Each structure stands twice: as C-alpha cells, then as structure tokens.
Amino acid sequence: MTRLRCVIPPRVEATRRSRAHRAGRLVLCIALVLAGCGSAPPSLNPAQQVAMTASQAAARSLARGEVAPARAGYERALAAAESVEDFELAGTALLNLALLQARSGELTAAHAQLDRILAAPQRYGPALYAGAAARKALVHLDGPDLEAALTWADAAQNACPTPCAHGAAMTTLRAHVALQRGDAAAAASLAATAVNLAAQAGQAAEQANALRLLGRAHTRAEQTSLAASALAQALAIDQRLGLPERVALDLLYAGDNEQRRSNAAAAREFYDRALVVYRAAGMTQAADSVRARLDPLGSADSPKR
C-alpha cells in the first residue's frame, strides 16, 4: 500500500483552503510535506524561514524520487524549527522524516520520530498527535503488526480534530488488515467507505488508494468486473496526479485481475505497461517483480495453442 499523505501546518491551512476553494479544488501534496504546496507566510523569523525553505526543497526532491536530499532537507527543517521551539514546524518535520524512514524500511527509526510527538501532546497539539498516531498505524501495518496497526488507527481517529483528516486513510488501513486476514467481503466494504470519505474530504490520492484496495478485494472475491472498474478509476486519478509508483501498482493489480479472469493477453498488456512505468521511474526492484509475472505468460507474439 502506498500511503503518501500531506500534512500542512494549521496556520497555513486556512489560507490554503480559501485559495483551493477559489480554484474549485483542494490543493494536492505528494507526501508528508511541510508547506510543500506553496510559499511560506510572510511573518516568519529567520529560523522559521530556513525550516520552511528546507522543507519545500525536500518536497521537490522527494517528488523526483531523490530520497537522500529529501531526508537532509527535512533534517535541516527540524533543526531550524527546534532552535526556536516552533513545535508546529518541528512536529511536521518529524512526520516527514518518519515517512522517509518507513519507505526505506527503517521502521524502528520511523517509530522513534513519531514517539517524540506522541510523548509530548501538550507541545505538538492534537492535529500533529493525530497525524503521528495515523503514521504509526501505517508503519505497524508495514511491520506487519496488524493488531498494533488497528490500535493506533483507533488512537488517531479518537484524537483527530473534526473533520478528521485521517478518516479515509485509517479506514483504508482497516480494509488492508481485513484483506490480509482473508476477509475479502469486509475489505471491500471498508474500502468502499474509504472511497466515499476521501471523496468528501477532497483527498484525491487517498481516494485512489482506497479504489486500488477495493479492486484487489473484488479480485480476491472473484468479482473481476467490479475490480476492473475500481482499478481503472484509481489509475485515472493517479495518472492525473502524476504519481508513477501508484500508476504502476494500478496497472500491476489490473494485470492480476485479468489473470484471475484467465485473460492472459490482457494481463500481459497491463504488466508490460507497469514494467515501462517502473523502468522510467528508475524503480529497478519493482520492475523485477513485474518480470516475474510476465515470464510465465510468454511474449505477445508467442503462438497460440
């Protein structure tokens, strides 16, 4: 599950909401990015300006897939924010670092960043506490520790200010747990709820996440036509947002769905497209996983039997 989310400091968020409303859509971020979707407000002291600028540069690096400079940028942002005890900026930087560490498989380090926020809610406030709990749930899901993931998902939603920004993501997480436990029907029901929650909140990336999981649940339940529809919707969103890793996942699961339908030609087409995306994005290991699916299918011009 690809789980990229956007955290925007509350003092910036009100301005962004107004701007997004005038534009007729919500501002989209590609990661846990501190002010990664616009310019900093004008009344910042020099340390805060350093934090904001470093975070914006890190966001751009992460969007290009450059993890090392992104991490260095968020570390600079954290140091600058902590130097003037700006807990709002520091807490968001901690969430960003936890995201990067989790993506790199450094789950213990990610938990450590999140625990700094969770251990001091009086400093960081309810919104960042809820964000840290939500991220901790997702890190536990990657563990995998399904019970801990569900426990922290509950904590995130209980602490989340209304309207809860994490409702769709935590519902999608519960759908993942259900699917991993073999309950495709429950997974599909939860994923469908998450799709609606994300749509209501204007969270396009999270809506695509939920649609992708809905498709997988339908595939598992042999409801392949429903699966194809959900995955096509997820693909359209991810293509519009410009998220290569998610585009490739949509194509990969669409191929799996065609395999379930015993449609080898359609499956091969989806896998070929996923392979092209992974190669273009420089995701070598992921490309290898696609080849493992393609090899049993043979080439497109293999003689029919």
Side-chain angles (χ1 to χ4, degrees), residues 262-300:
S262 299
N263 191 342
R268 184 170 48 243
E269 170 67 13
F270 280 120
Y271 291 151
D272 279 334
R273 289 167 62 187
L275 184 60
V276 170
V277 173
Y278 277 136
R279 283 173 172 168
M283 300 176 186
T284 305
Q285 187 173 358
D288 290 341
S289 73
V290 180
R291 290 190 194 93
R293 283 172 161 89
L294 271 169
D295 287 344
L297 298 177
S299 64

Side-chain angles (χ1 to χ4, degrees), residues 129-168:
Y129 181 93
R135 177 56 50 187
K136 198 168 182 72
L138 295 169
V139 175
H140 276 302
L141 185 65
D142 288 338
D145 186 337
L146 302 186
E147 288 301 327
L150 292 173
T151 296
W152 281 103
D154 289 340
Q157 291 197 275
N158 289 337
C160 196
T162 303
C164 183
H166 309 292

Side-chain angles (χ1 to χ4, degrees), residues 92-293:
T92 308
L94 287 168
L95 289 176
N96 288 323
L97 286 170
L99 170 68
L100 286 174
Q101 288 163 336
R103 286 183 62 183
S104 300
E106 302 170 44
L107 303 188
T108 300
H111 280 302
Q113 304 287 11
L114 298 170
D115 287 343
R116 292 183 59 185
I117 299 172
L118 295 168
Q122 72 283 1
R123 295 180 189 171
Y124 295 102
L128 284 169
Y129 181 93
R135 177 56 50 187
K136 198 168 182 72
L138 295 169
V139 175
H140 276 302
L141 185 65
D142 288 338
D145 186 337
L146 302 186
E147 288 301 327
L150 292 173
T151 296
W152 281 103
D154 289 340
Q157 291 197 275
N158 289 337
C160 196
T162 303
C164 183
H166 309 292
M170 295 299 95
T171 304
T172 301
L173 179 147
R174 293 185 178 92
H176 270 276
V177 171
L179 193 63
Q180 289 190 40
R181 289 176 170 172
D183 192 341
S189 178
L190 286 163
T193 299
V195 170
N196 291 331
L197 288 172
Q200 292 167 12
Q203 297 172 334
E206 194 57 55
Q207 186 178 6
N209 280 344
L211 282 164
R212 188 181 313 110
L213 185 58
L214 180 60
R216 293 176 61 199
H218 283 320
T219 297
R220 191 79 60 86
E222 304 290 346
Q223 297 175 315
T224 54
S225 293
L226 292 175
S229 175
L231 291 167
Q233 292 177 68
L235 177 62
I237 294 172
D238 289 330
Q239 287 173 330
R240 174 167 56 84
L241 300 181
L243 305 177
E245 185 176 6
R246 296 184 184 191
V247 167
L249 282 175
D250 298 331
L251 294 168
L252 195 66
Y253 293 133
D256 291 347
N257 188 58
E258 294 303 327
Q259 279 274 66
R260 186 64 65 98
R261 287 170 145 175
S262 299
N263 191 342
R268 184 170 48 243
E269 170 67 13
F270 280 120
Y271 291 151
D272 279 334
R273 289 167 62 187
L275 184 60
V276 170
V277 173
Y278 277 136
R279 283 173 172 168
M283 300 176 186
T284 305
Q285 187 173 358
D288 290 341
S289 73
V290 180
R291 290 190 194 93
R293 283 172 161 89

